C-alpha cells in the first residue's frame, strides 16, 4: 500500500488489486471497478504531488484488513473540479479491505470529506472566512 | 463442650454469611446482566452496544463500558471528546436534532483489543444541528469507528463518518458535480 500511495506506482496498484476488485465507497460518478479506483486514486495523488500516507494502525481478522491512515499533502493540481489552491491538507482516513489469494477484492473507504473541503477552502469552516488562506 | 458449641455457632454464622453473600452476588449478577444484555460480553459486543444502545435510550452502557479517561477523536469536532459526560453530550446533540436517530453496526473486524466497526446512522432532521435549522429531511450516512479497549472498557476511539454526506442530504451544501 505504501508503494502505491507513497511511491505512486500504478504497476503495484494493478498487482495488489484483483481484476474483480469492487470499491464499495466510490464517489458519485466514479466507476466502482478496479479501473475507476485507479483513476480516482491517481487523480488524487497527482493533485497532491508531495502527498504522504502514514499507517497509524492496522487491524486484521480473517480475510479483512483495516488501516487507519493520516494523509498530508499540498494541493497543487486540479482535483474533482477544484482548481489548485496551494493549501496544505491533513486528513484522517480509514480503509477496510478484503483480501483473497493475496489480492484486494473489496475496498471500503471512510475519509473526512467535509474537513477536506474546508481545508481546501471550498466550504467555510464554522467561525472562519472560507477565503482565508491560513 | 463450650468450645465445640462456639465452633458450631461460628460455622453456622459462616454458612449464613456465605448464603447471604451468594444471594447478594446473584442479585448483583442479575442486575449486571440486565444492564449488560449478556453476563460476559466480548469486545465486539461491548463496542456494538456502545455504538447502538445510547440511541435506544440506554445510557447505562456508556457508564458501564467507557473508561473514565476516554478520548474520542472525531474530525467533525474541534476538540477531542473526553470522558463519559463528553461522549453523552456529543450523542445528545444528534439525538436532539434527529427524530428516530439510530445507528446500526454492519460489520466488525477485531484484532486483540482494537475493534473496527462499520456502521450506518439514520434519522429525521427535526432540530437545529451545526447551525442548520430543521429541514424535516431523512438522512442516512455511514461511518467507521476504531475502538481501543483496556480492561473491558473503551479507552480511545477514532471516528470517521460522512459529515459531508450529511450536509449534502440536508441541502446545506450542493451535491458535488459528477465527473
Amino acid at each position: 500500500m505504501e508503494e502505491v500511495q507513497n511511491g505512486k506506482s500504478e504497476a503495484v496498484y494493478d498487482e495488489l488489486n484483483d481484476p474483480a476488485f469492487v470499491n464499495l465507497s466510490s464517489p458519485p460518478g466514479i466507476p466502482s471497478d478496479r479501473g475507476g479506483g485507479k483513476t480516482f486514486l491517481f487523480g488524487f495523488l497527482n493533485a497532491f504531488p508531495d502527498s504522504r500516507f502514514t499507517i497509524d494502525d492496522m487491524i486484521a481478522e480473517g480475510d479483512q484488513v483495516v488501516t487507519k491512515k493520516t494523509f498530508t499533502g499540498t494541493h497543487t493540481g486540479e482535483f474533482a473540479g477544484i482548481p489548485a489552491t496551494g493549501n496544505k491538507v491533513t486528513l484522517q482516513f480509514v480503509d477496510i479491505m478484503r483480501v483473497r489469494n493475496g489480492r484486494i477484492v473489496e475496498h471500503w473507504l471512510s475519509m473526512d470529506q467535509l474537513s477536506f473541503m474546508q481545508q481546501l477552502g471550498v466550504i467555510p469552516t464554522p467561525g472562519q472566512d472560507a477565503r482565508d488562506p491560513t | 463442650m463450650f468450645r465445640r458449641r462456639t465452633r458450631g455457632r461460628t460455622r453456622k454464622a459462616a454458612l449464613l454469611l456465605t448464603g447471604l453473600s451468594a444471594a447478594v452476588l446473584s442479585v448483583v449478577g442479575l442486575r449486571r446482566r440486565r444492564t449488560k444484555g449478556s453476563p460476559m460480553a466480548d469486545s465486539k459486543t461491548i463496542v456494538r452496544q456502545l455504538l447502538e444502545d445510547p440511541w435506544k435510550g440506554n445510557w447505562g452502557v456508556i457508564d458501564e463500558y467507557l473508561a473514565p479517561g476516554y478520548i474520542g477523536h472525531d474530525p467533525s469536532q474541534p476538540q477531542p471528546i473526553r470522558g463519559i459526560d463528553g461522549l453523552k453530550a456529543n450523542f445528545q446533540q444528534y439525538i436532539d436534532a434527529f427524530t428516530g436517530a439510530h445507528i446500526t453496526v454492519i460489520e466488525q473486524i477485531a484484532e486483540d483489543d482494537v475493534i473496527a466497526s462499520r456502521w450506518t446512522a439514520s434519522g429525521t432532521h427535526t432540530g437545529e444541528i451545526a447551525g442548520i435549522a430543521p429541514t424535516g429531511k431523512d438522512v442516512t450516512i455511514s461511518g467507521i469507528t476504531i475502538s481501543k479497549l483496556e480492561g473491558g472498557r473503551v479507552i480511545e476511539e477514532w471516528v470517521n463518518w460522512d459529515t459531508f454526506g450529511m450536509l449534502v442530504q440536508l441541502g446545506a451544501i450542493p451535491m458535488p458535480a459528477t465527473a
Side-chain angles (χ1 to χ4, degrees):
Chain A
M1 194 174 345
E2 286 178 329
E3 275 179 59
V4 177
Q5 294 181 338
N6 291 335
K8 302 184 176 55
S9 165
E10 293 197 29
V12 179
Y13 177 91
D14 290 336
E15 198 184 305
L16 288 181
N17 291 287
D18 197 83
F21 170 89
V22 184
N23 182 4
L24 298 171
S25 52
S26 58
I30 305 285
S32 62
D33 61 2
R34 183 167 81 160
K38 189 166 154 182
T39 307
F40 181 74
L41 175 65
F42 285 93
F44 182 77
L45 294 178
N46 292 335
F48 297 84
D50 64 345
S51 62
R52 189 97 211 139
F53 284 91
T54 309
I55 297 176
D56 306 316
D57 212 345
M58 234 194 282
I59 308 157
E61 184 186 17
D63 61 357
Q64 284 178 300
V65 183
V66 182
T67 57
K68 184 176 99 58
K69 292 180 288 195
T70 304
F71 165 85
T72 53
T74 314
H75 182 219
T76 57
E78 183 267 337
F79 178 71
I82 308 161
T85 58
N87 289 4
K88 256 192 181 332
V89 171
T90 302
L91 293 171
Q92 185 176 301
F93 279 76
V94 181
D95 283 295
I96 301 178
M97 282 167 277
R98 197 182 291 279
V99 181
R100 239 171 249 147
N101 304 318
R103 299 182 106 180
I104 301 162
V105 290
E106 215 178 82
H107 180 244
W108 192 286
L109 167 74
S110 181
M111 71 172 267
D112 184 30
Q113 266 184 311
L114 180 64
S115 113
F116 178 58
M117 299 289 176
Q118 285 170 341
Q119 291 181 53
L120 292 185
V122 178
I123 293 168
T125 307
Q128 267 180 36
D129 185 345
R131 307 268 172 243
D132 186 348
T134 54
Chain B
M1 177 91 172
F2 174 73
R3 208 193 269 163
R4 210 184 292 156
R5 210 187 293 152
T6 323
R7 216 185 271 159
R9 225 183 278 151
T10 318
R11 206 188 308 146
K12 239 184 237 169
L15 274 172
L16 194 72
L17 267 175
T18 315
L20 204 69
S21 54
V24 168
L25 276 176
S26 67
V27 168
V28 171
L30 276 174
R31 284 184 58 199
R32 286 178 74 81
R33 219 162 291 160
R34 218 176 292 143
T35 41
K36 268 188 177 178
S38 113
M40 279 169 64
D42 64 15
S43 302
K44 279 186 182 174
T45 310
I46 288 172
V47 171
R48 178 187 289 271
Q49 289 187 330
L50 265 176
L51 283 166
E52 291 182 345
D53 288 8
W55 309 90
K56 300 172 191 162
N58 178 9
W59 293 91
V61 290
I62 300 180
D63 297 309
E64 180 137 25
Y65 291 138
L66 211 70
Y70 170 84
I71 300 177
H73 308 273
D74 180 343
S76 74
Q77 301 297 317
Q79 298 294 327
I81 301 155
R82 288 186 189 275
I84 288 167
D85 291 342
L87 187 67
K88 285 182 181 175
N90 183 52
F91 282 175
Q92 193 65 52
Q93 59 177 324
Y94 299 106
I95 288 170
D96 290 344
F98 293 95
T99 302
H102 62 278
I103 281 187
T104 308
V105 173
I106 311 291
E107 67 173 339
Q108 289 180 298
I109 299 146
E111 191 176 346
D112 301 326
D113 275 337
V114 187
I115 322 288
S117 309
R118 184 166 67 79
W119 47 263
T120 59
S122 306
T124 308
H125 181 219
T126 51
E128 185 270 335
I129 186 86
I132 306 159
T135 59
K137 288 185 174 153
D138 290 327
V139 174
T140 299
I141 52 106
S142 62
I144 297 173
T145 299
I146 296 179
S147 314
K148 198 173 139 194
L149 281 89
E150 220 175 75
R153 284 170 181 258
V154 173
I155 182 85
E156 199 163 3
E157 280 184 321
W158 292 266
V159 191
N160 256 39
W161 61 280
D162 189 11
T163 41
F164 185 76
M166 179 183 86
L167 295 180
V168 169
Q169 289 175 50
L170 293 181
I173 48 179
M175 182 70 186
T178 52

